[in-house]
Amino acid sequence: MQYDNPVNYGYFDDKMREYVITRPDTPYPWINYLGCDDFYGLFSNTSGGYCFYRDARMLRLTRYRYNNAPADAGGRYFYICDSSGESKDIWSPSWMPMKSKLDRYECRHGLGYSRISSARNGLFFSQLSFVPLKDNCEIHKITLCNESGTEKNIDMFSFVEFCLWNANDDMTNFQRNYSIGEVEIEGSAIYHKTEYRERRNHYAVWAVNVPVAGFDTDRETFLGLYNGFDHPQTVFTGTANNSIASGWAPIGSHHIKVPLKPGESKTFVFVLGYCENSSDQKWESLYVINKKPAHALLEKYHSEEAADTALAELKEYWDKLLSRFSMQTDDKTLGRMVNVWNQYQCMVTFNMSRSASYFESGIGRGMGFRDSNQDLLGFVHLVPERARTRILDIAATQLPDGSAYHQYQPLTKRGNNDIGSGFNDDPLWLICGVAAYIKETGDYSILDEQVPFDNDETLSDSLFIHLKRSFDFTLNNLGPHGLPLIGRADWNDCLNLNCFSKTPGESFQTTANYESGIAESVLIAGIFTFVGPDYAEICRRTNRKEEAERADKAITDMIKTINTHGWDGNWFLRAYDAMGKKIGSHECEDGQIFIESNGFAVMAGIGINDGRAVTALNAVKEKLDTPYGIVLQQPAYKEYHLELGEISSYPPGYKENAGIFCHNNPWITIAETRIGRGERAFETYKKICPAYREEDSRLRRVEPYAYAQMVAGKDAPRFGEAKNSWLTGTAAWAFVSISQYILGIRPVYDGLLIDPCIPPGMKSFSITRYFRGAVYKITIDNTAGVEKGIGSITMDGKPLDNVILPPKDQGSIHEVLVVMGL
Ligand code: BGC
Ligand code: NOJ
């Protein structure tokens, strides 16, 4: 096969809800996520990646080499040795790791599953990989088909390399690791049981549903000490060694003999699973692990039919989820993002937070307090019950003064002491997340849940009190201008105004060696005025009238403060540093204008009545906009600034130093809808939207079906190149911006608000929205060609006198017609 189409690496198959990759040498591995609940796999288009149970750091099943050359090293590999020709033909059907020339290749990434198919010399190979809904394993269903006219003798070898569970130790503590590896073999099942003899109560199993000709479990024996994955010595000799790993690097490899007549095909079901025993049930006999849970798992997926049924269940699960919000539109690109890929990514970010991707190693970051609260925004309509649980978990890590641990560990759910607290925006995101949950569900009972502070049951109080402490945290921590103190950083982790770090390698986030008590954030003020009204409204709706009034007053005061001390003449300032100097002002040499504070101030409605909002958004457009999205600030910092921290550590144009930091672009999109500029709002939406950028794949490099955290800005030599795909708050905010503000179907306390703000050329679209148990089929007619404004709304044929669709009976279906006009 010639990989001769350098621009397009694939296409969207909208009907199947799959992205189809048509050549394996994508500009970067293009991955998918397998798993919905506890067991997850990262899966690239060449079968690279790894899997873990619940925690990518602590319970990793298979090894992966980040930052390796070649890229994407480690995966679930299958090697084919075809002895039917004159000489043996040995190849990798997923292209990597041998980079085999393939006659055909295709990888379909679907919702929670991927399918690689390829062919070479008359042998067709297909690999369907997924994690079933209710079991802790990956299933790899492999089919081989002889498409040639002659009989074939195939030897197939599987290969996975086990990780010794703790992914950090696995890559560092070799003096210990090389002596602890242990395995057991039983028939076609290979058990990885390192550390099971001591404190672990879990093991991994890698099995296939047919008898094997042999196996290997010792990496060196299988590959050869000086060979890479691309030249496994055993596959070249053609016979497995039945090696038993003892220390060093345990692997799992099956050798299967597959004779195939012309036209014949055979299917094998491989299972890679995680099993646990209670501590009194660990052993069958001395040295022999209790395999009961593994037997049950393997028994369940012993047949091809069982694997197919599990896949069908997974598909049904996604059909159901996505039916909760779906759009009918002439714009195919918009449809595929709104209906499938954006919502899918929202699920992935909800599940992973910022832990495991091809840019996040799975060992560094747990669940972020602010990140997880924001991830909820794009997810809560899908599975509100899980959002509810997540909110309570997050709130339990809040500290009694309302501040918050910046991160917590998914397994222990406890705040992470290494990072600690002091990111002064964190508490406000809890209000944002809870408000989104209540607006979606109408479930106020969550406010009465008793939730610990700092995971200490004796410090429990209602969730409402947690919100109050969040709100008050801002008010209790104001600086000289009456703006919120920034602490270690606000949303922008790299604006470290109390850090002053001169030591290479020191963490900008945890070094706070200059507690100025002065550095203030206009962004936190903006967030406060955006989420504060939700706090006030929640108070009102739960009969806390006085508290609501107190909150209203505090918000009004903050708006005044922003207008007095947070306005630079043509845009909103960003911050005051530890010396009280302005950041994000025309007075500055670099960093004169920032995106974040402008987005949030206008989102909160500041300046809408006096023209400042329009002025600020025009400045953003003029100074920060580019064809690939809006950069974070301008001019980029040319030098390292001790008083600013990490933001100025990046070369100009990358990350927070004037990169297109996609997460905050939707804030501008939403702000644009607040001033009624639908055309501009949609333009800002499209610029960072991966499907609209599919043609730029070569430049962008990362997946055209997933948002990236950052696209290099105009100051960078690689302007337009994207990085950090998948685990970014962009997913949630992009979905909020398109679904709630552009298309304008927005959950509010009393129902579903209808408030589209669209380009005048968008003449019609319709949306099916499941909301609090009822289904609304909403048709928007914009024959009038306006950007915003509603002429009339009818529900089930009757005119409505306001723009909020009221909650309706469970299971009822309603037809809504919205005619836009002035
Ligand atoms: C990155 C930020 C990130 C932070 C998390 C920094 O290096 O630039 O985007 O939020 O690390 O610790
Ligand atoms: C990524 C972090 O996960 C997020 O919390 C932060 O807001 C952004 N970077 C911006 O620094």
Side-chain angles (χ1 to χ4, degrees), residues 167-236:
N168 194 46
D169 290 357
D170 185 69
M171 284 294 169
T172 47
N173 195 6
F174 303 109
Q175 60 81 24
R176 170 179 162 86
N177 294 350
Y178 287 169
S179 294
I180 62 175
E182 289 191 290
V183 296
E184 254 181 63
I185 317 292
E186 185 189 56
S188 303
I190 295 167
Y191 291 88
H192 175 232
K193 58 171 187 177
T194 300
E195 289 190 345
Y196 188 82
R197 67 168 60 243
E198 33 130 340
R199 290 153 297 177
R200 294 190 183 277
N201 66 342
H202 43 263
Y203 55 78
V205 59
W206 173 228
V208 59
N209 66 340
V210 294
V212 294
F215 61 86
D216 274 292
T217 65
D218 178 57
R219 188 183 74 205
E220 197 173 318
T221 312
F222 180 75
L223 292 180
L225 180 59
Y226 293 102
N227 291 359
F229 300 137
D230 60 338
H231 198 93
Q233 156 182 297
T234 302
V235 181
F236 281 80

Side-chain angles (χ1 to χ4, degrees), residues 354 360 365 370-371 374 406 425 490-494 632 655-656 661 663 709 727:
R354 305 295 170 266
E360 300 279 9
R365 306 213 268 156
R370 80 158 82 87
D371 291 334
Q374 290 172 81
H406 194 48
D425 63 316
D490 58 24
W491 170 88
N492 188 334
D493 272 330
C494 299
L632 193 144
K655 294 281 286 184
E656 281 86 344
F661 212 95
H663 186 144
Q709 182 206 58
L727 302 186

Side-chain angles (χ1 to χ4, degrees), residues 39 130 181 202 219 284 366 383 388 458 489 495 512 537 563 587 599 627 643 662 693 720 732 736 782 796 800 811:
F39 192 96
F130 66 100
H202 43 263
R219 188 183 74 205
E284 195 179 301
V383 196
R388 190 182 205 275
T458 65
L495 208 51
E537 194 58 28
N563 275 320
E587 295 166 17
E643 78 287 7
C662 299
R693 305 245 64 108
V736 169
N782 185 28
D796 301 326
L800 283 187

Side-chain angles (χ1 to χ4, degrees), residues 105-136:
Y105 162 88
E106 181 182 272
C107 170
R108 291 179 167 260
H109 284 319
L111 305 179
Y113 67 92
S114 292
R115 192 191 299 269
I116 294 177
S117 12
S118 62
R120 167 153 149 156
N121 292 340
L123 182 69
F124 169 81
F125 167 93
S126 138
Q127 171 181 355
L128 167 70
S129 300
F130 66 100
V131 171
L133 282 179
K134 289 179 209 81
D135 289 297
N136 296 320

Side-chain angles (χ1 to χ4, degrees), residues 565-722:
H565 297 294
W567 179 250
D568 190 54
N570 283 306
W571 55 79
F572 291 96
L573 282 174
R574 178 62 177 83
Y576 288 92
D577 73 14
M579 269 66 68
K581 260 183 67 194
K582 291 175 185 169
I583 297 174
S585 161
H586 68 284
E587 295 166 17
C588 307
E589 188 188 326
D590 291 327
Q592 293 180 347
I593 170 170
F594 280 66
I595 187 171
E596 307 106 305
S597 45
N598 287 291
F600 254 94
V602 180
M603 275 164 73
I606 302 176
I608 292 187
N609 295 332
D610 61 18
R612 283 185 173 182
V614 172
T615 308
L617 293 181
N618 285 349
V620 165
K621 182 165 196 251
E622 186 200 328
K623 302 203 178 272
L624 303 180
D625 206 10
T626 82
Y628 306 120
I630 304 164
V631 299
L632 193 144
Q633 99 275 13
Q634 278 292 289
Y637 293 108
K638 294 189 270 300
E639 291 145 13
Y640 176 57
H641 288 251
L642 196 57
E643 78 287 7
L644 299 179
E646 186 167 3
I647 188 167
S648 62
S649 75
Y650 287 113
Y654 291 112
K655 294 281 286 184
E656 281 86 344
N657 190 12
I660 297 158
F661 212 95
C662 299
H663 186 144
N664 51 39
N665 277 231
W667 300 346
I668 297 298
T669 305
I670 296 170
E672 288 288 353
T673 66
R674 296 270 348 226
I675 59 168
R677 299 201 296 204
E679 184 78 56
R680 171 70 182 149
F682 196 48
E683 181 186 299
T684 61
Y685 166 78
K686 285 200 290 193
K687 281 187 180 183
I688 60 156
C689 182
Y692 284 104
R693 305 245 64 108
E694 194 184 9
E695 290 293 309
D696 304 336
S697 285
R698 212 211 306 226
L699 169 68
R700 260 181 82 85
R701 303 192 64 197
V702 299
E703 300 89 339
Y705 45 88
Y707 279 94
Q709 182 206 58
M710 196 258 331
V711 177
K714 56 189 175 184
D715 303 286
R718 299 188 175 198
F719 180 32
E721 183 185 72

